[in-house]
Amino acid sequence: MIETIARTTGAIQLISRPAGFPEPADFALVELPVTGPGPGQVLIRNLFTALDPGMLMRIGDYPGIPMPPFGIGEPLSGDAIGEVVLSGDEALPPGTLVVHRLGWRDYAVADIATVRAVDADAYDSPSTHLGPGLVAYAGLTAVAGMRSGDTVFVSSAAGATGGLAGQLARLLGAGRVIGSAGSAAKVAYAVGELGFDAAFDYHDGPVADRLRALAPDGIDVYFDTVGGEQLRAAIEVMNPGGRVALCGALARQRAGGTPDTGPGDLLPVIGKRLTLRGFTAFDHLHLAPEYGRRLREWLADDAIVRTETIVDGLANAPRALLDLVRGEYRGKVVVRHTR
Ligand SMILES: NC(=O)c1ccc[n+]([C@@H]2O[C@H](COP(=O)([O-])OP(=O)(O)OC[C@H]3O[C@@H](n4cnc5c(N)ncnc54)[C@H](OP(=O)(O)O)[C@@H]3O)[C@@H](O)[C@H]2O)c1
């Protein structure tokens, strides 16, 4: 018999749908009742919520995406890790660390089918479980079929996913790894700290020219987090048989949803027999154990630089999400729940 408890939780709600790039005033921190857990549910005290630019596609009005927009007056949701504090199922006793989708609130009641128990001792910080490594790993291996010796181009090279994709490409045997980022400081960070062979600021003239200068023999794989001009440039500079893993749409997310002009002329895609393949991390969850094992080995060997910013308190989450997409951070950004 499960004890039914009632308590309240802080939660971030969307209170108005932005027409373009959101403002902090589009969000509010509210107090909501929490009831439960019932049978087959757990009550989770969230420790960290991940900030993901992809949320902007559900905050604004982006036609054509498979997920419904967040409702006005409803809490946001997103990846989080927390600790079970009350359980309606003996398989997940109190104290179990779980990854789930009900972030953006301090406490969550979730059906056990929607949570995944993780090893509390796997990493120094539980927030590591929220890293974008699986999407970077799956994009390079399963989607782009990266081969040893390939020249790999990665956009948003100082960002969470791009920064990891560049490092993984090197560890997986790329011949040359080239990155792009939005400032000279980020370019220096990608090369000096993350180990990219070369990088450029995408504001410094036509991207295709910058890419051609750094990859005179062409590129074989593009890990695309951006779309728009960078995707068109990659197609232009790509070698025959090149492969693009289409992961993200930062250019459109930064532009407040305005569709960009996409890949442009597709004739080179035919002529060079290129492959452009969209994917999500959810398509490749079966790779999670393999990736987790390799990540622990790489971390133990100090072979990966893990850059993370922790923002304290749920109230600061909306502004931090917007700052993230504006380019204020490097690496992964997570919100630490403080109650
Ligand atoms: N397919 C999936 O399953 C999946 C999973 C995770 C993430 N994603 C997507 O992958 C992308 C990256 O996510 P993330 O969490 O790793 O974000 P991130 O790269 O850490 O995010 C923010 C960065 O976006 C860059 N940016 C902003 N406007 C830009 C523009 N117009 N052109 C180029 N870069 C711009 C900024 O870097 P600069 O300062 O360098 O401009 C900023 O630091 C997002 O689109 C996200 O939705 C997809």
Side-chain angles (χ1 to χ4, degrees), residues 52-54 135 156 159-162 181-182 186 202 225-226 230 247-251 253-254 279-281 324-325 327 329 331:
D52 171 10
V135 75
S156 199
T161 310
K186 287 190 175 183
Y202 60 83
T225 55
V226 170
Q230 303 212 43
C247 172
L250 286 164
Q253 288 156 353
R254 178 66 186 96
F279 73 106
T280 80
L324 167 66
V325 182
Y329 297 104

XYZ file of all heavy atoms in Angstrom, residues 52-54 135 156 159-162 181-182 186 202 225-226 230 247-251 253-254 279-281 324-325 327 329 331, ligand 1:
259
model
N 18.649 22.433 -23.019
C 18.777 21.924 -24.384
C 18.159 22.930 -25.355
O 16.963 23.226 -25.262
C 18.047 20.572 -24.461
C 17.935 20.054 -25.884
O 18.573 20.623 -26.795
O 17.199 19.074 -26.083
N 18.975 23.464 -26.302
C 18.423 24.422 -27.266
C 17.221 23.873 -28.030
O 16.373 24.640 -28.503
C 19.593 24.664 -28.231
C 20.815 24.334 -27.454
C 20.419 23.233 -26.510
N 17.124 22.552 -28.134
C 15.995 21.940 -28.840
C 14.655 22.314 -28.226
O 13.613 22.279 -28.898
N 24.415 11.180 -28.334
C 24.034 11.716 -29.645
C 25.282 11.968 -30.485
O 25.302 11.711 -31.696
C 23.110 12.955 -29.504
C 23.838 14.195 -29.086
C 22.388 13.231 -30.800
N 29.400 24.289 -34.063
C 29.256 24.585 -32.624
C 30.285 23.792 -31.817
O 29.962 23.089 -30.852
C 27.825 24.335 -32.113
O 27.628 25.026 -30.884
N 30.378 23.986 -28.167
C 29.112 23.673 -27.492
C 29.143 22.287 -26.872
O 30.157 21.568 -26.950
N 28.020 21.918 -26.263
C 27.957 20.640 -25.553
C 28.146 19.477 -26.525
O 29.062 18.658 -26.373
C 26.623 20.531 -24.826
N 27.304 19.403 -27.536
C 27.345 18.252 -28.443
C 28.543 18.341 -29.382
O 29.282 17.368 -29.561
C 26.041 18.193 -29.276
O 24.922 18.302 -28.384
C 25.937 16.900 -30.038
N 28.746 19.522 -29.970
C 29.853 19.683 -30.921
C 31.203 19.475 -30.250
O 32.101 18.843 -30.819
N 33.073 27.866 -34.637
C 32.454 28.440 -33.431
C 32.277 29.933 -33.661
O 32.751 30.470 -34.667
C 33.323 28.164 -32.213
N 31.611 30.601 -32.689
C 31.165 31.971 -32.921
C 32.066 33.077 -32.408
O 31.673 34.239 -32.447
N 36.325 31.072 -28.499
C 35.816 29.697 -28.618
C 36.661 28.885 -29.599
O 36.865 27.689 -29.409
C 34.342 29.709 -29.038
C 33.416 30.142 -27.907
C 31.960 29.917 -28.268
C 31.061 30.252 -27.087
N 29.634 29.991 -27.367
N 32.819 31.308 -37.624
C 31.933 31.303 -38.791
C 31.458 32.704 -39.180
O 30.804 32.880 -40.200
C 30.738 30.351 -38.579
C 29.845 30.689 -37.398
C 28.829 31.638 -37.487
C 30.007 30.027 -36.188
C 28.003 31.924 -36.399
C 29.194 30.310 -35.099
C 28.198 31.259 -35.210
O 27.384 31.554 -34.131
N 25.240 20.587 -36.314
C 24.371 21.018 -35.211
C 23.656 22.331 -35.552
O 22.926 22.853 -34.728
C 25.209 21.268 -33.938
O 26.225 22.211 -34.273
C 25.833 20.001 -33.404
N 23.880 22.843 -36.765
C 23.507 24.228 -37.054
C 22.541 24.397 -38.225
O 21.568 25.140 -38.139
C 24.807 25.050 -37.318
C 24.476 26.425 -37.853
C 25.619 25.184 -36.028
N 26.312 26.817 -42.843
C 27.374 25.839 -42.543
C 27.092 24.500 -43.244
O 28.006 23.837 -43.725
C 27.528 25.661 -41.035
C 27.821 26.996 -40.356
C 28.701 26.853 -39.127
O 29.681 26.117 -39.123
N 28.370 27.577 -38.078
N 22.110 16.698 -36.911
C 21.780 16.573 -35.491
C 20.936 17.734 -34.986
O 20.006 17.543 -34.212
C 23.078 16.486 -34.686
S 22.856 16.562 -32.917
N 21.273 18.971 -35.380
C 20.617 20.126 -34.761
C 20.398 21.271 -35.711
O 20.832 21.247 -36.868
N 19.717 22.282 -35.200
C 19.275 23.413 -36.023
C 19.515 24.721 -35.279
O 18.620 25.558 -35.155
C 17.796 23.242 -36.350
N 20.755 24.899 -34.782
C 21.018 26.069 -33.940
C 20.769 27.390 -34.665
O 20.304 28.355 -34.055
C 22.453 26.023 -33.414
C 22.695 24.994 -32.303
C 24.180 24.743 -32.109
C 22.061 25.461 -30.999
N 21.056 27.443 -35.964
C 20.860 28.704 -36.686
C 19.386 29.099 -36.636
O 19.034 30.258 -36.387
C 21.334 28.577 -38.129
N 17.165 27.927 -34.421
C 16.766 28.140 -33.019
C 17.170 29.544 -32.572
O 16.416 30.231 -31.888
C 17.394 27.042 -32.138
C 16.729 25.687 -32.344
C 17.606 24.489 -31.993
O 18.787 24.617 -31.697
N 17.020 23.298 -32.042
N 18.361 29.986 -33.003
C 18.818 31.331 -32.627
C 17.993 32.406 -33.321
O 17.791 33.503 -32.785
C 20.311 31.492 -32.981
C 20.879 32.863 -32.674
C 20.898 33.132 -31.176
N 21.295 34.490 -30.841
C 20.443 35.481 -30.604
N 19.119 35.272 -30.694
N 20.885 36.673 -30.286
N 18.720 12.433 -37.538
C 18.616 11.393 -36.505
C 18.359 12.046 -35.160
O 18.552 13.257 -34.998
C 19.908 10.559 -36.444
C 21.073 11.293 -35.816
C 21.509 10.976 -34.529
C 21.717 12.313 -36.492
C 22.570 11.647 -33.946
C 22.781 13.006 -35.912
C 23.209 12.664 -34.642
N 17.924 11.258 -34.205
C 17.859 11.729 -32.815
C 18.525 10.680 -31.933
O 18.672 9.515 -32.333
C 16.414 11.935 -32.296
O 15.881 10.666 -31.937
C 15.526 12.611 -33.319
N 18.877 11.109 -30.732
C 19.509 10.187 -29.781
C 18.572 9.015 -29.489
O 19.025 7.886 -29.270
C 19.858 10.925 -28.500
N 22.336 30.395 -23.272
C 23.026 29.266 -23.916
C 22.920 29.383 -25.440
O 23.910 29.270 -26.168
C 22.405 27.947 -23.423
C 22.779 26.683 -24.193
C 24.257 26.363 -24.026
C 21.941 25.488 -23.722
N 21.709 29.623 -25.920
C 21.524 29.680 -27.379
C 22.162 30.949 -27.946
O 22.604 30.968 -29.097
C 20.018 29.563 -27.734
C 19.826 29.579 -29.245
C 19.451 28.281 -27.148
N 24.963 31.940 -27.085
C 26.398 31.660 -27.194
C 27.217 32.069 -25.989
O 28.439 32.176 -26.082
N 27.850 30.412 -23.229
C 28.535 29.344 -22.489
C 29.368 28.489 -23.421
O 29.213 28.533 -24.645
C 27.500 28.421 -21.809
C 26.636 29.081 -20.778
C 25.313 29.414 -21.059
C 27.119 29.344 -19.503
C 24.488 30.007 -20.095
C 26.309 29.935 -18.533
C 25.007 30.260 -18.847
O 24.208 30.832 -17.899
N 30.431 24.214 -23.654
C 30.115 22.897 -23.106
C 28.670 22.797 -22.638
O 27.800 23.566 -23.044
N 19.151 15.028 -32.624
C 19.232 14.929 -31.291
O 18.856 13.913 -30.683
C 19.802 16.046 -30.528
C 20.284 15.858 -29.217
C 20.892 16.931 -28.567
C 20.964 18.162 -29.194
N 20.440 18.302 -30.459
C 20.541 19.574 -31.143
O 21.911 19.816 -31.384
C 22.146 21.217 -31.334
C 23.244 21.494 -30.325
O 22.773 21.261 -29.009
P 23.718 21.530 -27.770
O 22.946 21.226 -26.553
O 25.014 20.874 -28.000
O 23.915 23.089 -27.862
P 25.234 23.984 -27.830
O 26.012 23.796 -29.071
O 25.894 23.833 -26.527
O 24.404 25.346 -27.891
C 24.547 26.579 -27.988
C 25.477 27.134 -29.040
O 24.793 27.444 -30.246
C 25.654 28.250 -31.000
N 24.907 29.096 -31.924
C 23.935 29.962 -31.648
N 23.479 30.556 -32.779
C 24.203 30.027 -33.789
C 24.204 30.218 -35.196
N 23.366 31.076 -35.801
N 25.086 29.516 -35.928
C 25.923 28.653 -35.338
N 25.966 28.416 -34.013
C 25.110 29.100 -33.251
C 26.390 29.106 -29.941
O 27.751 28.878 -30.146
P 28.695 29.972 -30.851
O 29.006 30.974 -29.777
O 29.824 29.132 -31.301
O 27.883 30.559 -31.971
C 25.988 28.455 -28.628
O 27.072 28.330 -27.721
C 20.822 21.873 -31.006
O 20.211 22.269 -32.217
C 20.035 20.770 -30.352
O 18.653 20.974 -30.498
C 19.882 17.272 -31.125
